[in-house]
Amino acid sequence: MDAGLHLPTVAVVTGGFLALGLVIALVRWRRARPGFISVTDLATYETLHTASMAGRHLADGFTDDGCERAAPYLRAMLATPGLAVCDTSGVIVWEGEGRHHLPAVMDQAAPVLASGQVVVLGPDTVTCTSTECPVRAAVIAPVIVDDRVVGAIAGYGPQVSAGLARAAEEVASWVATQVELADLSFERTRAMEAELRALRAQISPHFIYNSLAAIASFVRTDPSRARELLLEFADFTRYALRRDGAFTTVSEELRNVERYLVLEQARFGDRLSITLKIAPEVLPVRVPYLAIQPLVENAVRHGLAPKEGPGHVVLSATDHGSVAEFSVDDDGVGAHPETIRKILDGQSRSDSVGLGNVDARLRQVYGEEFGLVVDTAPGAGMKVSFRVPKYSPALEQPA
């Protein structure tokens, strides 16, 4: 067989690194901690850590809750006494000193929200009667997503330098990038949900027709077998069409695979043989719903059905400590590696059941390194495998 095919890793590079360089210059001098080569190293670490913490709270986009949680870190990145975050409808949060300036924020931010340009305000605009308040000036930078101003970041302090103005602009740009990434993630999730619905619908009319035809063939000759197959068919479709939860256990998924294979064996008879090699340790592991059955269906429908004579499918689930590995190996007609590559790259709407869908969902849940690996060649069968960590934060969602 040809070497395994891997979907090339796509690295999404977060913008705004220039902002981090500028912000580093604003980090207050602190004594270097043991382990850091220099004060610059310490400043770099602290700035990157602060940006990481802020980005974590913006993972859902420019939401009120996310902005409130991110505000302390954004203020730390600018090193200003006060910071305000607003969207086009109002102020979301004021962080730090000078909160009594909050009522004026929207009037001061209005030109920024309208023009998308950075505005620097001096004491003539940012007025204050309190001698203890450190706020006498402000820099307000727009958060622009897809050429649309969605909000603004406003740093308030005693004065505004050219460096602070530039840093505020870059921090706002960095926030915009986080929002864009959140939007892309949301769209990808919606796409995956749509594909999962399509995968459910892909319990293809051919499979339904063939299953019912096989059941019907036993009605007169073996009514008991027909009744058992009908119950298996009902349980299979109930599981495949369920709506609760994005995850299930390996045990539940394999039970549905067994139902599928029982129905297919009723149709293929001796032409189809199956071997299951399942490590008990992996049965409780949670995996994305419909992650295994589509791979088995692909092996039967596209590997063995076109083949003359009998065919064999081996389904394995093995334990590797912190990782579980699954593979579906058939001795069918195989496929050209480039054809499979295009399916996994999303460049082909081939009839290969679920390969692209399962690959995309695995990568979305676990990361780019956890997609499908396909070994195949024309006439040489096909092996589809994937590995998943037994424990992942994504699996905290209810099953």
Side-chain angles (χ1 to χ4, degrees):
M1 293 187 182
D2 289 358
L5 302 178
H6 299 267
L7 183 64
T9 300
V10 178
V12 180
V13 181
T14 303
F17 285 112
L18 177 59
L20 299 181
L22 290 170
V23 173
I24 289 171
L26 301 173
V27 176
R28 295 175 179 175
W29 185 93
R30 298 179 185 178
R31 178 178 297 175
R33 299 174 185 172
F36 285 96
I37 299 175
S38 67
V39 174
T40 301
D41 292 333
L42 175 59
T44 300
Y45 165 78
E46 291 185 343
T47 303
L48 290 173
H49 177 70
T50 302
S52 174
M53 295 299 294
R56 184 178 306 173
H57 297 302
L58 296 171
D60 291 330
F62 204 70
T63 64
D64 289 2
D65 182 64
C67 289
E68 288 176 6
R69 293 175 182 271
Y73 303 103
L74 297 176
R75 185 169 72 87
M77 291 169 72
L78 288 178
T80 54
L83 178 132
V85 181
C86 64
D87 59 17
T88 55
S89 61
V91 178
I92 297 174
V93 59
W94 179 283
E95 170 64 24
E97 301 178 64
R99 186 176 180 83
H100 53 277
H101 287 274
L102 189 152
V105 170
M106 285 308 293
D107 287 339
Q108 294 166 355
V112 177
L113 297 173
S115 67
Q117 301 296 316
V118 177
V119 169
V120 175
L121 305 175
D124 56 333
T125 303
V126 185
T127 59
C128 187
T129 58
S130 173
T131 57
E132 298 180 355
C133 178
V135 173
R136 292 294 184 274
V139 56
I140 306 176
V143 177
I144 303 175
V145 179
D146 294 331
D147 298 324
R148 180 172 57 90
V149 179
V150 300
I153 306 293
Y156 285 84
Q159 61 184 3
V160 176
S161 65
L164 178 59
R166 181 60 174 159
E169 182 179 9
E170 291 296 336
V171 169
S173 177
W174 177 84
V175 169
T177 300
Q178 303 308 303
V179 175
E180 289 175 346
L181 290 174
D183 290 345
L184 287 174
S185 177
F186 176 71
E187 290 301 322
R188 187 178 182 188
T189 299
R190 289 184 60 185
M192 291 301 103
E193 291 173 348
E195 288 195 13
L196 184 56
R197 288 194 295 270
L199 191 60
R200 291 190 182 104
Q202 214 176 155
I203 303 176
S204 65
H206 296 290
F207 172 72
I208 294 174
Y209 173 81
N210 291 332
S211 296
L212 292 177
I215 294 170
S217 70
F218 288 103
V219 168
R220 291 185 179 180
T221 60
D222 193 344
S224 178
R225 177 83 187 281
R227 184 165 52 253
E228 291 174 0
L229 290 174
L230 192 59
L231 291 175
E232 294 285 8
F233 179 78
D235 289 340
F236 173 83
T237 53
R238 183 181 299 111
Y239 176 86
L241 297 175
R242 76 174 197 172
R243 291 292 185 269
D244 54 327
F247 301 97
T248 187
T249 64
V250 171
S251 178
E252 291 176 340
E253 185 79 358
L254 291 180
R255 180 68 189 96
N256 204 53
V257 169
E258 290 176 351
R259 297 185 188 110
Y260 169 78
L261 290 172
V262 165
L263 294 166
E264 289 291 50
Q265 277 194 310
R267 181 163 70 100
F268 286 99
D270 293 339
R271 284 187 58 205
L272 174 62
S273 62
I274 301 107
T275 299
L276 302 179
K277 300 178 180 179
I278 311 300
E281 294 85 356
V282 306
L283 293 177
V285 174
R286 295 176 69 195
V287 294
Y289 160 72
L290 286 182
I292 302 174
Q293 185 273 329
L295 307 184
V296 177
E297 183 173 352
N298 183 73
V300 173
R301 182 173 167 187
H302 296 283
L304 302 185
K307 177 184 177 180
E308 294 184 7
H312 188 207
V313 176
V314 179
L315 170 58
S316 301
T318 53
D319 178 55
H320 297 282
S322 62
V323 174
E325 182 173 7
F326 305 90
S327 67
V328 178
D329 197 344
D330 71 75
D331 60 359
V333 298
H336 195 285
E338 188 60 29
T339 299
I340 300 301
R341 191 184 302 278
K342 288 181 179 179
I343 291 171
L344 298 185
D345 282 341
Q347 298 174 4
S348 171
R349 291 297 179 182
S350 167
D351 198 30
S352 290
V353 177
L355 288 185
N357 176 280
V358 173
D359 180 73
R361 288 191 291 126
L362 288 172
R363 293 177 188 278
Q364 182 192 31
V365 172
Y366 301 107
E368 290 297 325
E369 68 272 28
F370 288 101
L372 296 182
V373 177
V374 182
D375 297 323
T376 189
M382 182 180 295
K383 180 179 180 180
V384 183
S385 61
F386 66 91
R387 296 162 64 92
V388 298
K390 287 183 178 179
Y391 308 101
S392 171
L395 303 183
E396 295 304 316
Q397 301 180 32

